Amino acid sequence: MHLAYPAVLSALLFCTGLYGVLARRNAILVLMSVELMLNAVNLNLVAFDVWLSRTAEETLHSGQALTLFTIAIAAAEIGIGLAIVLAVHRNRGTSDIDKLRDTAEGHETDDPDGPDSDGDAPAAEKAEATA
């Protein structure tokens, strides 16, 4: 088997994942696209390891060992990433990346009808609460 076949497939997978990271707005789809990119890297590592072991009589299989580490890192990344996305969705009500620009809890808004600078309700609602 030629080295070009898995290299082209890996490049297509990586480009598909890169498009998904740049074009998607949903955080879970972005995480899936990152996983696709990591799998493209894994495919490249194994393909080049097999190619080098045929040409250099290498028995170390460092590409396959590195692939196992990459898979472990990807598993940890998806576990932590999903936990963060679920926590943000629970607090904010959305997982849309464009709407999650500001992550501060009591952030100020540019909207004059929005909350005060201390993050409380507007003055009209304060007056109703005290009456």
Side-chain angles (χ1 to χ4, degrees):
M1 181 174 73
H2 295 286
L3 184 61
Y5 298 134
V8 168
L9 179 63
S10 176
L12 289 174
L13 283 174
F14 192 85
C15 289
T16 304
L18 185 64
Y19 173 75
V21 167
L22 295 176
R24 298 293 175 195
R25 293 183 179 172
N26 190 350
I28 293 178
L29 291 178
V30 170
L31 285 174
M32 289 174 57
S33 298
V34 169
E35 290 295 319
L36 193 62
M37 292 168 64
L38 285 173
N39 286 330
V41 170
N42 288 340
L43 179 62
N44 247 347
L45 284 171
V46 171
F48 276 97
D49 182 55
V50 169
W51 180 68
L52 283 175
S53 67
R54 286 184 184 174
T55 59
E57 299 293 327
E58 180 185 320
T59 59
L60 187 59
H61 297 296
S62 57
Q64 293 178 16
L66 201 57
T67 298
L68 288 176
F69 284 115
T70 308
I71 289 171
I73 289 171
E77 176 259 334
I78 199 68
I80 292 172
L82 281 176
I84 291 171
V85 167
L86 287 175
V88 167
H89 188 274
R90 187 175 299 150
N91 288 336
R92 297 286 178 108
T94 183
S95 62
D96 189 1
I97 294 174
D98 291 337
K99 294 179 182 175
L100 300 177
R101 282 192 336 215
D102 193 15
T103 58
E105 283 292 323
H107 64 278
E108 295 183 30
T109 61
D110 294 333
D111 186 17
D113 296 330
D116 293 339
S117 61
D118 60 352
D120 290 336
E125 290 179 3
K126 286 183 184 177
E128 290 177 4
T130 57

